[in-house]
Amino acid sequence: MAKGEGSESGSAAGLLSPSILQAGERPAQVKEPKKKQHLSVCNKLCYAVGGAPYQVTGCALGFFLQIYLLDVALVDPFSASIILFFGRAWDAFTDPLVGFCISKSSWTRLGRLMPWIIFSTPLAVVAYFLIWFVPDFPRGQALWYLIFYCLFETLVTCFHVPYSALTMFISTEQSERDSATAYRMTVEVLGTVLGTAIQGQIVGQANAPCLQYPSDSALASESGNRTHSISSLRQTQNAYLLAAGVIASIYIVCAVILTLGVRERRGPCETQQAEPMPFFRGLRLVMSHGPYVKLIAAFLFTSLAFMLVEGNFALFCTYTLGFRNEFQNLLLAIMLSATFTIPLWQWFLTHFGKKTAVYIGISSAVPFLILVALIESNLIVTYVVAVAAGVSVAAAFLLPWSMLPDVIDDFHLKHPHSHGTEPIFFSFYVFFTKFASGVSLGISTLSLDFAGYQSRGCSQPPSVKFTLKMLVALTPIALILLGLLLFKLYPIDEEKRRQNKKALQALRDEASSSGCSDTDSTELASIL
């Protein structure tokens, strides 16, 4: 969740070559950095607010786009699977692409990162609104949604990638950056709740229309039913547009607050930045680093499990459990539970270790997913399961980003002269996660097509209900167990992490006499 957290610590080792540390320069350089860039609470809040747009829009799209395409825009399931797959896959490819473009950007009067945030915002808002608009030409609808979904994902990447790197440019003080990151994490978690609440509650107020597919004896009343259904469908379409307008307004307000309340500062030691490693050589080293490969593989399967649940949850509640008018409240229960338990997992992993937190946190979802697969429709039990599932969602949300810096620390101890590899670690970690999300949504929607999904049906055939049960319960359970099995191979436990931290601190203390320890901030800023 917080991409920048802890990542700068991994690049401190080996950044300064002996040629920089000339004896005659040392005394002057040690006394040089006198200005301390303290951030006020207002500055930190303004910075943290910038993390909300990505989370608010991402949550709304993740939970509602599939059911919107199938039941509101009336896109056929095969075309919907293409839209969802290519949209997420394109989003995965744009992260390293936008990161590369930003790293080549020149410094301007507004900074190096701020222009990307400012100029992408209005275009992103328009593209987001058009995703939730139903055009009048039914033949070209699939292309319409594919274009604007891919366009929005590109533009929101142009916002969020420089925003993530901005952590390193708001202050030269490490403690201030850590404090700002904590503010950001809190706001991002609240953003997920806000996105779920706004989209769910506004859309939930409009009774989504459905069709009773008539038998031969009921054909006489079909015309009247369809006339009423078309009117109700337009109300639902307007509700989605209203929700999109509210979320787009939040996006703009947050961008304005970020732009006015945060000043991007240029690193004082940019001119002495170490020569970064060539991209393909660094990629080869990173992908051959055992702990990184094992961490990616383990979290790829566990995150895929939660993405399957996220993407199909609305359909599952509507058609398998029969809670057509309750699914938005169930989603809100999950996200509120996740929000309140993230501090609990933060405390747990600091006291008992990250691997233990992974085993307990993610595996705790399994018994509740089994319960969902076995029980009949029971609203009270479903709410209990939703709250319990939020506990596991919190663990899956927090732990990957808290463990990746440990892998980077381990890599830098084994390759102390490999400068500039952090962008590869972060970009490909995000790439694999987003690509897996696209695969999960594409395959699940295609599976519904094969099962005989009926758009806007008040009920679905038994084959569709069984498929939804497989996608929300049985398949995620299998993926979680496989991910935990792979995670058993992950070698960095608490003892290893402490050893790495001590070794890196020794290297950092040795390099601190140069007075340019902030070089790693300029190196990491190209994350992205």
Side-chain angles (χ1 to χ4, degrees), residues 183-373:
Y183 277 78
R184 170 192 163 188
M185 291 170 65
T186 303
V187 172
E188 286 193 348
V189 173
L190 292 176
T192 63
V193 176
L194 195 60
T196 305
I198 291 173
Q199 187 84 8
Q201 296 304 314
I202 292 178
V203 171
Q205 296 305 312
N207 293 323
C210 64
L211 291 177
Q212 292 284 359
Y213 284 87
S215 61
D216 292 338
S217 61
L219 288 175
S221 61
E222 179 182 358
S223 177
N225 288 339
R226 287 188 176 274
T227 301
H228 173 72
S229 177
I230 290 172
S231 174
S232 300
L233 179 62
R234 291 200 180 278
Q235 291 178 3
T236 305
Q237 291 171 353
N238 291 335
Y240 273 96
L241 281 177
L242 176 61
V246 174
I247 289 177
S249 301
I250 292 173
Y251 195 120
I252 293 173
V253 170
C254 291
V256 170
I257 292 173
L258 173 66
T259 305
L260 297 179
V262 175
R263 180 187 168 196
E264 183 180 351
R265 294 180 169 91
R266 199 167 190 171
C269 297
E270 279 189 61
T271 57
Q272 298 181 8
Q273 184 178 352
E275 183 71 21
M277 179 176 291
F279 176 81
F280 288 105
R281 185 182 165 202
L283 178 61
R284 188 168 61 250
L285 279 176
V286 167
M287 290 304 175
S288 63
H289 188 56
Y292 182 65
V293 173
K294 291 165 184 172
L295 185 66
I296 280 183
F299 274 116
L300 192 62
F301 285 102
T302 53
S303 62
L304 186 57
F306 286 99
M307 287 170 189
L308 275 174
V309 176
E310 178 190 68
N312 295 281
F313 187 78
L315 290 172
F316 178 76
C317 288
T318 301
Y319 294 115
T320 302
L321 297 181
F323 303 137
R324 176 177 291 274
N325 297 320
E326 286 290 335
F327 76 86
Q328 70 272 8
N329 298 323
L330 290 166
L331 287 178
L332 189 58
I334 292 174
M335 300 314 298
L336 285 173
S337 173
T339 301
F340 289 124
T341 51
I342 277 183
L344 173 65
W345 286 118
Q346 184 66 43
W347 173 85
F348 189 93
L349 67 85
T350 56
H351 286 78
F352 299 99
K354 296 178 183 179
K355 287 188 74 170
T356 305
V358 166
Y359 289 133
I360 295 177
I362 295 180
S363 64
S364 64
V366 172
F368 296 102
L369 291 174
I370 293 174
L371 188 62
V372 163

Side-chain angles (χ1 to χ4, degrees), residues 5 8 20 61 67 81 85 92 164 193 260 272 310 342-343 374 406-407 410 433 461 464 513:
E5 184 185 11
E8 69 274 6
I20 294 177
L61 289 168
I67 194 171
S81 68
F85 170 72
S164 299
V193 176
L260 297 179
Q272 298 181 8
E310 178 190 68
I342 277 183
L374 296 179
D406 300 338
V407 172
D410 187 73
T433 303
V464 171
S513 59

Side-chain angles (χ1 to χ4, degrees), residues 111-138:
R112 187 162 119 190
L113 304 173
M114 278 297 187
W116 288 83
I117 294 172
I118 293 170
F119 293 113
S120 67
T121 294
L123 298 175
V125 165
V126 172
Y128 180 79
F129 186 80
L130 291 176
I131 291 174
W132 305 102
F133 177 76
V134 180
D136 290 333
F137 40 89

